[in-house]
Amino acid sequence: MRGSGLGQFGQPVQVGQEPGMFTLPSGQSINLVDWRNGAIYDRVSLGTSITAGQEFVYFRDIQSKNLLDTNLTTPNRLPNDWEAIVWRIGVAIDMDVTNADILLLMRGGYLEFKIAQTLYAQGPIWMFPSGYGIYGAFASGGSTAATATLYVNSNGAPSPAGVIKLDIPLYINKNTDFQGLIKYYSAETLGAATLVYMVLDGWIKRPVR
């Protein structure tokens, strides 16, 4: 008996008696032997002065970037012979940012993600924890421990397992354009230029080198 479709929480289910064969929501079957857990990522500098209505585009302007910035080599497209199944879309703020700036960025940012001009995800950026980064408490202000203020910096727990997966994963191949965007509707002034990542986490199929 052959089964197909989605199991609990949108997970692909095994096809028939063939180990490692799974069916995606589109009906396409894939052999997971060829796939690995991985992520597509890009980081953009938001500068120090964000104007009202300003947009920051992801996965497009990759010229002069290195692997700390992005693992794309072609604007808006996967590298040749890559495929991706995206289970999570996340935002991660760089690690040397003050608590005040983190609060401004989280409060005012709005995210969109499109594939081939079709909108697949949107909302305030606090809705999109990445499952990566640092997490911790720190004290600031006050002359003693008793008078200092305690802060916790995080956009969700730094654990991919703690981020809810998309009910229906998104499939991207080398011929498909995709793009992310973070927009601020109100002006924000930051204490320092800030780097912010957008991360597409899931399964990656790529040539073995």
Side-chain angles (χ1 to χ4, degrees):
M1 179 178 180
R2 296 179 62 85
S4 64
L6 292 178
Q8 190 178 21
F9 307 120
Q11 296 277 9
V13 299
Q14 186 167 326
V15 180
Q17 302 302 313
E18 303 174 64
M21 294 298 297
F22 288 83
T23 296
L24 299 173
S26 64
Q28 176 186 0
S29 294
I30 62 171
N31 188 338
L32 290 185
V33 172
D34 302 324
W35 295 71
R36 300 290 184 270
N37 289 318
I40 303 158
Y41 59 89
D42 186 28
R43 73 174 176 180
V44 172
S45 175
L46 274 56
T48 57
S49 180
I50 300 173
T51 59
Q54 189 168 359
E55 298 179 348
F56 301 92
V57 179
Y58 284 79
F59 310 115
R60 184 189 68 185
D61 304 315
I62 62 171
Q63 298 81 2
S64 302
K65 290 186 174 182
N66 59 37
L67 286 172
L68 282 175
D69 301 305
T70 185
N71 57 350
L72 293 186
T73 56
T74 302
N76 300 112
R77 291 200 174 190
L78 293 177
N80 221 12
D81 299 324
W82 282 37
E83 297 174 67
I85 297 169
V86 178
W87 284 103
R88 306 176 186 89
I89 301 169
V91 172
I93 299 171
D94 214 8
M95 300 180 188
D96 59 349
V97 181
T98 66
N99 183 72
D101 283 352
I102 288 175
L103 294 177
L104 289 175
L105 292 169
M106 295 295 293
R107 178 189 66 189
Y110 161 82
L111 178 147
E112 286 186 355
F113 179 71
K114 294 181 178 181
I115 300 175
Q117 301 303 313
T118 299
L119 181 65
Y120 282 95
Q122 66 178 155
I125 64 173
W126 52 260
M127 292 175 56
F128 299 94
S130 69
Y132 296 99
I134 59 175
Y135 180 91
F138 68 95
S140 178
S143 57
T144 67
T147 58
T149 300
L150 185 66
Y151 297 95
V152 175
N153 278 342
S154 173
N155 182 27
S159 168
V163 179
I164 296 175
K165 290 184 176 182
L166 299 172
D167 286 336
I168 301 176
L170 305 176
Y171 174 74
I172 305 173
N173 63 31
K174 65 178 182 178
N175 299 315
T176 307
D177 288 338
F178 61 95
Q179 186 167 285
L181 176 145
I182 291 178
K183 180 175 182 176
Y184 285 82
Y185 288 95
S186 299
E188 303 287 0
T189 301
L190 307 176
T194 302
L195 295 169
V196 177
Y197 283 91
M198 188 176 295
V199 182
L200 311 178
D201 193 29
W203 298 338
I204 306 292
K205 181 181 178 182
R206 56 188 296 184
V208 177
R209 293 187 177 90

